[in-house]
Amino acid sequence: MRKFLAAALAAVLAAGPAAAADDFWSGAKAKIGGGQSSTTGSNRDAYEAAERAASEAWERLPFSTRRAMFVTRKAALYGDYDARGSNVFAPGEPLVSYVEPLGFAYRKSGDLYTFEGTIDFAIRTKSGEELGSQKAFQSYSLTSHARAREFFLNLTITLDGAPAGDYVLAVTLNDTVRKMSTEIEQPFTIRAADGRAP
């Protein structure tokens, strides 16, 4: 299929700038190389205006998260997550979370934008007693010519030797540019070794 698509596109491009060709996706006739239409220009202008409005709205957002969930595997791309059907884990099973931060700030240097931060975590009982924690157990950063907003984090925490019971994973994201933090709480259960509920 990929070879066929490449051949089809190559044939269209070889036809010359003024030739009419079948539009591969819709089957309609299309002019190749006819220049930018007024419709294309106005649509692009509308898109750029919407992008500016989205950037301005982003700057007014509090630092928070759009999504935070236990997942079955690490994500490879933004939005590439498989939510876990249960928050019950076997003893020693890693806690894998997918998180999408929202409203983080950028540091500008020349024509580059950078955002960065650190991540803390704590394990608590259901009543709020802290059993263990670690500051800055992970850090993140991204530098780009664009103010990238589609950013995600894979977080993996393994609790070796934790007894069966109900717990809360508290993850704190620290935006080191804006000097702000936001906390996520994910309740979970470690079942007994024989599979029974605690």
Side-chain angles (χ1 to χ4, degrees):
M1 178 65 179
R2 190 173 292 173
K3 287 183 179 178
F4 171 75
L5 176 58
L9 291 178
V12 170
L13 293 175
D22 287 334
D23 183 323
F24 181 77
W25 301 110
S26 67
K29 294 289 184 180
K31 280 272 190 179
I32 304 298
Q36 178 176 301
S37 70
S38 60
T39 302
T40 301
S42 63
N43 287 342
R44 181 176 296 156
D45 291 345
Y47 176 82
E48 294 292 346
E51 181 69 17
R52 286 192 299 274
S55 290
E56 290 168 5
W58 181 275
E59 291 174 5
R60 294 191 297 271
L61 286 171
F63 182 49
S64 57
T65 57
R66 177 181 287 140
R67 292 182 182 86
M69 68 190 81
F70 290 123
V71 290
T72 60
R73 58 174 176 80
K74 290 184 177 181
L77 302 166
Y78 181 84
D80 170 44
Y81 58 84
D82 289 329
R84 201 172 189 276
S86 167
N87 68 342
V88 179
F89 293 82
E93 184 180 1
L95 310 178
V96 182
S97 295
Y98 171 87
V99 178
E100 292 178 2
L102 190 68
F104 46 81
Y106 308 88
R107 179 181 297 111
K108 194 169 188 300
S109 177
D111 61 350
L112 293 174
Y113 296 90
T114 298
F115 61 84
E116 58 192 12
T118 62
I119 307 168
D120 312 328
F121 83 91
I123 303 297
R124 300 174 183 152
T125 64
K126 285 178 68 174
S127 61
E129 178 189 357
E130 188 169 296
L131 304 175
S133 64
Q134 185 176 336
K135 297 287 189 184
F137 90 100
Q138 192 171 322
S139 61
Y140 60 90
S141 68
L142 180 69
T143 298
S144 172
H145 287 281
R147 297 184 192 188
R149 295 190 296 271
E150 293 189 348
F151 180 71
F152 70 97
L153 297 166
N154 286 312
L155 308 177
T156 302
I157 296 172
T158 303
L159 304 175
D160 291 325
D166 297 322
Y167 301 94
V168 175
L169 169 63
V171 175
T172 302
L173 306 183
N174 306 296
D175 180 342
T176 55
V177 176
R178 188 182 276 185
K179 310 298 184 191
M180 295 185 72
S181 298
T182 187
E183 185 178 88
I184 308 152
E185 288 192 343
Q186 294 179 274
F188 69 97
T189 297
I190 297 178
R191 69 171 184 256
D194 60 8
R196 291 182 300 174

